[in-house]
Short mmCIF file of all heavy atoms in Angstrom, two decimals:
data_model
loop_
_atom_site.label_atom_id
_atom_site.label_comp_id
_atom_site.label_asym_id
_atom_site.label_seq_id
_atom_site.Cartn_x
_atom_site.Cartn_y
_atom_site.Cartn_z
N THR A 4 -240.01 -63.07 20.81
CA THR A 4 -239.76 -63.65 22.11
C THR A 4 -241.00 -64.30 22.67
O THR A 4 -242.12 -63.84 22.41
CB THR A 4 -239.22 -62.58 23.08
OG1 THR A 4 -239.04 -63.15 24.39
CG2 THR A 4 -240.16 -61.40 23.20
N SER A 5 -240.82 -65.35 23.42
CA SER A 5 -241.94 -66.00 24.11
C SER A 5 -242.36 -65.15 25.30
O SER A 5 -241.76 -64.12 25.61
CB SER A 5 -241.52 -67.40 24.55
OG SER A 5 -240.43 -67.30 25.47
N TRP A 6 -243.38 -65.62 26.01
CA TRP A 6 -243.97 -64.80 27.08
C TRP A 6 -242.99 -64.43 28.18
O TRP A 6 -243.11 -63.38 28.79
CB TRP A 6 -245.15 -65.56 27.68
CG TRP A 6 -244.75 -66.73 28.54
CD1 TRP A 6 -244.50 -68.01 28.13
CD2 TRP A 6 -244.55 -66.71 29.96
NE1 TRP A 6 -244.18 -68.79 29.21
CE2 TRP A 6 -244.18 -68.03 30.34
CE3 TRP A 6 -244.63 -65.73 30.94
CZ2 TRP A 6 -243.92 -68.39 31.66
CZ3 TRP A 6 -244.37 -66.06 32.25
CH2 TRP A 6 -244.00 -67.38 32.61
N ASN A 7 -241.98 -65.27 28.40
CA ASN A 7 -241.04 -64.99 29.49
C ASN A 7 -239.63 -64.76 29.01
O ASN A 7 -238.70 -64.70 29.80
CB ASN A 7 -241.07 -66.13 30.51
CG ASN A 7 -240.57 -67.44 29.92
OD1 ASN A 7 -240.42 -67.57 28.70
ND2 ASN A 7 -240.32 -68.42 30.76
N GLY A 8 -239.45 -64.68 27.69
CA GLY A 8 -238.10 -64.50 27.17
C GLY A 8 -237.30 -65.78 27.10
O GLY A 8 -236.13 -65.75 26.69
N GLY A 9 -237.92 -66.91 27.46
CA GLY A 9 -237.20 -68.17 27.45
C GLY A 9 -236.88 -68.69 26.06
O GLY A 9 -235.96 -69.48 25.88
N ARG A 10 -237.64 -68.21 25.11
CA ARG A 10 -237.38 -68.59 23.72
C ARG A 10 -237.32 -67.31 22.90
O ARG A 10 -238.19 -66.46 23.00
CB ARG A 10 -238.51 -69.49 23.19
CG ARG A 10 -238.49 -69.77 21.70
CD ARG A 10 -237.43 -70.77 21.29
NE ARG A 10 -237.36 -70.90 19.84
CZ ARG A 10 -237.99 -71.85 19.16
NH1 ARG A 10 -238.74 -72.75 19.79
NH2 ARG A 10 -237.88 -71.92 17.85
N THR A 11 -236.26 -67.15 22.12
CA THR A 11 -236.15 -66.03 21.20
C THR A 11 -235.72 -66.54 19.84
O THR A 11 -235.01 -67.54 19.72
CB THR A 11 -235.10 -65.01 21.70
OG1 THR A 11 -233.84 -65.66 21.88
CG2 THR A 11 -235.53 -64.36 23.02
N ASP A 12 -236.16 -65.85 18.82
CA ASP A 12 -235.81 -66.20 17.45
C ASP A 12 -235.51 -64.92 16.67
O ASP A 12 -236.08 -63.87 16.97
CB ASP A 12 -236.93 -66.97 16.77
CG ASP A 12 -237.06 -68.38 17.32
OD1 ASP A 12 -236.09 -69.16 17.20
OD2 ASP A 12 -238.13 -68.71 17.86
N TYR A 13 -234.63 -65.07 15.68
CA TYR A 13 -234.18 -63.92 14.92
C TYR A 13 -234.15 -64.22 13.43
O TYR A 13 -233.91 -65.35 13.00
CB TYR A 13 -232.75 -63.52 15.35
CG TYR A 13 -232.64 -63.14 16.80
CD1 TYR A 13 -232.34 -64.08 17.78
CD2 TYR A 13 -232.85 -61.83 17.20
CE1 TYR A 13 -232.27 -63.75 19.11
CE2 TYR A 13 -232.78 -61.47 18.53
CZ TYR A 13 -232.49 -62.43 19.49
OH TYR A 13 -232.42 -62.08 20.81
N ALA A 14 -234.34 -63.17 12.66
CA ALA A 14 -234.10 -63.28 11.23
C ALA A 14 -232.61 -63.45 10.99
O ALA A 14 -231.78 -62.93 11.74
CB ALA A 14 -234.61 -62.04 10.50
N MET A 15 -232.27 -64.18 9.95
CA MET A 15 -230.86 -64.43 9.65
C MET A 15 -230.11 -63.12 9.44
O MET A 15 -228.93 -63.01 9.77
CB MET A 15 -230.73 -65.31 8.43
CG MET A 15 -231.09 -66.76 8.67
SD MET A 15 -230.02 -67.50 9.92
CE MET A 15 -228.44 -67.41 9.06
N SER A 16 -230.78 -62.13 8.90
CA SER A 16 -230.12 -60.87 8.58
C SER A 16 -229.68 -60.10 9.81
O SER A 16 -228.84 -59.20 9.69
CB SER A 16 -231.04 -59.99 7.73
OG SER A 16 -232.25 -59.73 8.42
N VAL A 17 -230.24 -60.41 10.98
CA VAL A 17 -229.90 -59.66 12.19
C VAL A 17 -229.28 -60.55 13.27
O VAL A 17 -228.85 -60.03 14.31
CB VAL A 17 -231.12 -58.94 12.76
CG1 VAL A 17 -231.79 -58.07 11.70
CG2 VAL A 17 -232.12 -59.89 13.39
N LYS A 18 -229.25 -61.82 13.06
CA LYS A 18 -228.75 -62.73 14.08
C LYS A 18 -227.29 -62.38 14.43
O LYS A 18 -226.47 -62.17 13.53
CB LYS A 18 -228.85 -64.18 13.60
CG LYS A 18 -228.64 -65.21 14.68
CD LYS A 18 -229.00 -66.61 14.19
CE LYS A 18 -230.48 -66.78 14.02
NZ LYS A 18 -230.85 -68.17 13.71
N GLY A 19 -227.03 -62.32 15.72
CA GLY A 19 -225.69 -61.96 16.18
C GLY A 19 -225.51 -60.46 16.36
O GLY A 19 -224.52 -60.04 16.98
N ARG A 20 -226.42 -59.66 15.84
CA ARG A 20 -226.33 -58.20 15.99
C ARG A 20 -227.46 -57.64 16.84
O ARG A 20 -227.27 -56.66 17.55
CB ARG A 20 -226.36 -57.52 14.60
CG ARG A 20 -225.25 -57.95 13.68
CD ARG A 20 -225.22 -57.12 12.40
NE ARG A 20 -226.43 -57.26 11.61
CZ ARG A 20 -227.25 -56.26 11.27
NH1 ARG A 20 -226.98 -55.02 11.67
NH2 ARG A 20 -228.32 -56.49 10.52
N PHE A 21 -228.63 -58.24 16.75
CA PHE A 21 -229.80 -57.77 17.49
C PHE A 21 -230.12 -58.73 18.63
O PHE A 21 -229.93 -59.93 18.50
CB PHE A 21 -231.03 -57.68 16.58
CG PHE A 21 -231.01 -56.60 15.55
CD1 PHE A 21 -229.85 -55.88 15.26
CD2 PHE A 21 -232.17 -56.29 14.83
CE1 PHE A 21 -229.84 -54.88 14.30
CE2 PHE A 21 -232.18 -55.30 13.87
CZ PHE A 21 -231.02 -54.60 13.60
N THR A 22 -230.62 -58.17 19.72
CA THR A 22 -231.04 -58.97 20.85
C THR A 22 -232.40 -58.49 21.36
O THR A 22 -232.56 -57.29 21.64
CB THR A 22 -230.04 -58.89 22.01
OG1 THR A 22 -228.74 -59.32 21.55
CG2 THR A 22 -230.46 -59.79 23.17
N VAL A 23 -233.35 -59.40 21.45
CA VAL A 23 -234.67 -59.08 21.99
C VAL A 23 -234.72 -59.55 23.45
O VAL A 23 -234.21 -60.63 23.78
CB VAL A 23 -235.80 -59.71 21.15
CG1 VAL A 23 -235.70 -61.23 21.11
CG2 VAL A 23 -237.16 -59.27 21.67
N SER A 24 -235.32 -58.73 24.28
CA SER A 24 -235.50 -59.08 25.69
C SER A 24 -236.78 -58.44 26.18
O SER A 24 -237.35 -57.58 25.51
CB SER A 24 -234.29 -58.62 26.54
OG SER A 24 -234.17 -57.21 26.47
N ARG A 25 -237.22 -58.88 27.34
CA ARG A 25 -238.44 -58.31 27.89
C ARG A 25 -238.34 -58.27 29.42
O ARG A 25 -237.65 -59.10 30.04
CB ARG A 25 -239.67 -59.10 27.46
CG ARG A 25 -239.73 -60.53 27.95
CD ARG A 25 -240.87 -61.29 27.27
NE ARG A 25 -242.17 -60.76 27.64
CZ ARG A 25 -243.31 -61.03 26.97
NH1 ARG A 25 -243.27 -61.79 25.91
NH2 ARG A 25 -244.45 -60.51 27.38
N ASP A 26 -239.06 -57.32 29.98
CA ASP A 26 -239.16 -57.17 31.43
C ASP A 26 -240.66 -57.14 31.73
O ASP A 26 -241.31 -56.11 31.56
CB ASP A 26 -238.47 -55.90 31.88
CG ASP A 26 -238.45 -55.75 33.40
OD1 ASP A 26 -239.27 -56.39 34.08
OD2 ASP A 26 -237.64 -54.97 33.90
N ASN A 27 -241.18 -58.29 32.16
CA ASN A 27 -242.63 -58.37 32.38
C ASN A 27 -243.09 -57.49 33.55
O ASN A 27 -244.23 -57.07 33.60
CB ASN A 27 -243.04 -59.82 32.58
CG ASN A 27 -243.05 -60.60 31.30
OD1 ASN A 27 -242.94 -60.04 30.20
ND2 ASN A 27 -243.13 -61.91 31.40
N ALA A 28 -242.19 -57.24 34.48
CA ALA A 28 -242.55 -56.36 35.60
C ALA A 28 -242.76 -54.93 35.13
O ALA A 28 -243.49 -54.17 35.77
CB ALA A 28 -241.47 -56.41 36.67
N LYS A 29 -242.11 -54.57 34.02
CA LYS A 29 -242.24 -53.21 33.48
C LYS A 29 -243.10 -53.17 32.23
O LYS A 29 -243.24 -52.13 31.59
CB LYS A 29 -240.85 -52.65 33.14
CG LYS A 29 -239.95 -52.46 34.35
CD LYS A 29 -238.63 -51.85 33.96
CE LYS A 29 -237.75 -51.58 35.19
NZ LYS A 29 -236.43 -50.99 34.82
N ASN A 30 -243.69 -54.31 31.86
CA ASN A 30 -244.54 -54.39 30.66
C ASN A 30 -243.82 -53.83 29.43
O ASN A 30 -244.40 -53.09 28.63
CB ASN A 30 -245.84 -53.59 30.87
CG ASN A 30 -246.86 -54.35 31.70
OD1 ASN A 30 -246.52 -55.34 32.36
ND2 ASN A 30 -248.08 -53.91 31.69
N THR A 31 -242.57 -54.19 29.29
CA THR A 31 -241.76 -53.64 28.21
C THR A 31 -240.93 -54.72 27.52
O THR A 31 -240.39 -55.61 28.19
CB THR A 31 -240.82 -52.54 28.77
OG1 THR A 31 -241.61 -51.52 29.39
CG2 THR A 31 -240.02 -51.89 27.64
N VAL A 32 -240.85 -54.60 26.22
CA VAL A 32 -239.97 -55.45 25.43
C VAL A 32 -238.96 -54.54 24.73
O VAL A 32 -239.28 -53.41 24.37
CB VAL A 32 -240.76 -56.32 24.42
CG1 VAL A 32 -241.51 -55.46 23.42
CG2 VAL A 32 -239.86 -57.32 23.73
N TYR A 33 -237.74 -55.04 24.60
CA TYR A 33 -236.65 -54.25 24.05
C TYR A 33 -236.05 -54.93 22.82
O TYR A 33 -236.12 -56.14 22.65
CB TYR A 33 -235.53 -54.11 25.11
CG TYR A 33 -235.98 -53.53 26.41
CD1 TYR A 33 -236.31 -54.38 27.49
CD2 TYR A 33 -236.10 -52.17 26.58
CE1 TYR A 33 -236.73 -53.85 28.70
CE2 TYR A 33 -236.52 -51.64 27.81
CZ TYR A 33 -236.84 -52.49 28.85
OH TYR A 33 -237.26 -51.96 30.05
N LEU A 34 -235.44 -54.10 21.99
CA LEU A 34 -234.64 -54.60 20.88
C LEU A 34 -233.32 -53.85 20.89
O LEU A 34 -233.28 -52.67 20.53
CB LEU A 34 -235.36 -54.45 19.55
CG LEU A 34 -234.63 -55.06 18.35
CD1 LEU A 34 -234.61 -56.59 18.47
CD2 LEU A 34 -235.28 -54.64 17.04
N GLN A 35 -232.27 -54.53 21.30
CA GLN A 35 -230.93 -53.95 21.26
C GLN A 35 -230.34 -54.22 19.90
O GLN A 35 -230.24 -55.40 19.49
CB GLN A 35 -230.05 -54.57 22.35
CG GLN A 35 -228.62 -54.07 22.35
CD GLN A 35 -228.51 -52.61 22.73
OE1 GLN A 35 -229.15 -52.14 23.67
NE2 GLN A 35 -227.68 -51.86 21.99
N MET A 36 -229.96 -53.17 19.20
CA MET A 36 -229.45 -53.29 17.84
C MET A 36 -228.02 -52.79 17.79
O MET A 36 -227.77 -51.60 18.06
CB MET A 36 -230.33 -52.50 16.86
CG MET A 36 -231.80 -52.88 16.94
SD MET A 36 -232.79 -52.05 15.67
CE MET A 36 -232.62 -50.35 16.19
#
């Protein structure tokens, strides 16, 4: 993910199943699988 989550990219093997997101106010990045 980019600095603000505006751009995300995925490996083909996980695309459509995994989602990356971030909360800069909480200094945290997530991976929903």
Side-chain angles (χ1 to χ4, degrees):
T4 176
S5 61
W6 73 273
N7 64 349
R10 171 76 185 264
T11 56
D12 288 300
Y13 299 91
M15 286 299 296
S16 59
V17 307
K18 192 170 289 187
R20 301 187 297 121
F21 290 12
T22 303
V23 60
S24 62
R25 64 189 295 164
D26 185 340
N27 285 349
K29 295 182 178 180
N30 282 15
T31 302
V32 62
Y33 305 96
L34 185 68
Q35 178 67 44
M36 306 186 295

